[in-house]
Amino acid sequence: MKLYQFDAAPSSKRVEKFLKETKIKVETIQLNIMMGEHLKEPFKTMNPFNCIPFLELDNGTVISETLAICKYLEQRNNSEIKLFGENAEEMALIEMWNRRLENDGYLPLFHGARNKFEMFKGAVIPGTRTNFEQNPAVTNWAIESAKTLLARLDTHLQSLDFLVGNRLTVADITGFHTLRYAERVGIDIKSYENIYTWLCQLEKRPGFQEST
């Protein structure tokens, strides 16, 4: 089994944090997406979405998408540390927060960044190299969507150390990288007192120390 990553990419960083927090070990191969390595064979055929990360199983099956990879690894390894939840209620709440964070924050900001920064010209649509032009309106919409989410999240975290329960879950990892994207497009995270406190606590965790 092999995990294909690009450590500088937020999607790969999410998997990296999951692996550190669960102490799951998997062989990792770096693909330089800035050089378009993921668009070349055999990787283009292995993962037709042309994005990273993706996981190649021993039987040749390929699993892409961050959460799908993490969920597979957690269940396959029967990890004692269950970042996706330990009971029906916890699993549902983690899923709820994770979806809300992705739908209202992470994904809009992901596309907002790709429509804002010079480095993404010609690669606005993930997994492609096209002449599709960047659109500042997408970035503006992303910022407004994220600000709505952050106001709600700040209220939720008023008396909590983690998004769900009293321990770290995969929702906190998603939230952490949602905030990283928010900072990148110019949102002042420090203006959200409870969120900023939560972010600072996450940054102190050994599992959140990034390789790049």
Side-chain angles (χ1 to χ4, degrees):
M1 183 167 59
K2 298 176 183 178
L3 175 65
Y4 294 86
Q5 290 264 79
F6 179 60
D7 280 348
S11 54
S12 286
K13 290 178 185 291
R14 291 171 70 185
V15 176
E16 179 185 27
K17 289 179 177 61
F18 171 85
L19 293 175
K20 287 181 178 179
E21 290 286 345
T22 57
K23 299 178 173 58
I24 294 173
K25 304 295 184 184
V26 59
E27 180 183 356
T28 301
I29 297 173
Q30 295 292 320
L31 296 182
N32 191 332
I33 63 173
M34 301 304 293
M35 301 298 294
E37 192 173 3
H38 61 306
L39 300 174
K40 300 175 182 177
E41 297 296 350
F43 312 116
K44 184 176 181 179
T45 297
M46 289 170 63
N47 179 25
F49 297 110
N50 301 144
C51 295
I52 50 88
F54 61 94
L55 183 69
E56 181 186 18
L57 308 187
D58 292 337
N59 64 6
T61 298
V62 172
I63 300 171
S64 65
E65 297 303 315
T66 297
L67 292 180
I69 291 168
C70 293
K71 184 173 287 187
Y72 171 83
L73 291 172
E74 182 172 289
Q75 294 184 2
R76 180 186 184 275
N77 289 274
N78 195 25
S79 174
E80 292 183 2
I81 303 172
K82 305 290 187 184
L83 296 192
F84 284 88
E86 295 182 342
N87 56 59
E89 179 179 328
E90 191 176 57
M91 289 177 182
L93 288 171
I94 293 168
E95 175 75 7
M96 177 188 78
W97 273 107
N98 207 70
R99 288 179 64 84
R100 185 54 60 191
L101 286 161
E102 286 202 325
N103 289 342
D104 295 350
Y106 185 87
L107 291 174
L109 291 168
F110 169 83
H111 290 291
R114 297 186 83 92
N115 279 273
K116 179 179 177 67
F117 298 110
E118 181 77 21
M119 63 182 294
F120 292 113
K121 282 192 174 181
V124 173
I125 300 173
T128 69
R129 294 292 185 270
T130 68
N131 293 323
F132 194 85
E133 293 186 2
Q134 292 174 309
N135 185 348
V138 175
T139 306
N140 294 336
W141 164 75
I143 291 172
E144 289 307 308
S145 179
K147 285 182 176 179
T148 299
L149 170 68
L150 294 177
R152 294 166 177 166
L153 184 61
D154 198 55
T155 299
H156 176 71
L157 288 169
Q158 189 168 3
S159 59
L160 298 174
D161 294 325
F162 300 100
L163 283 173
V164 179
N166 59 1
R167 64 183 183 86
L168 183 94
T169 69
V170 71
D172 294 289
I173 296 175
T174 301
F176 180 89
H177 283 287
T178 299
L179 298 185
R180 285 289 185 250
Y181 265 130
E183 290 174 322
R184 192 173 182 185
V185 300
I187 296 175
D188 180 15
I189 298 301
K190 290 183 180 180
S191 65
Y192 301 91
E193 182 178 356
N194 300 318
I195 289 177
Y196 184 64
T197 299
W198 171 62
L199 174 64
C200 291
Q201 290 302 313
L202 291 177
E203 288 177 329
K204 294 177 182 178
R205 296 178 69 90
F208 277 63
Q209 305 307 305
E210 297 177 347
S211 57
T212 56

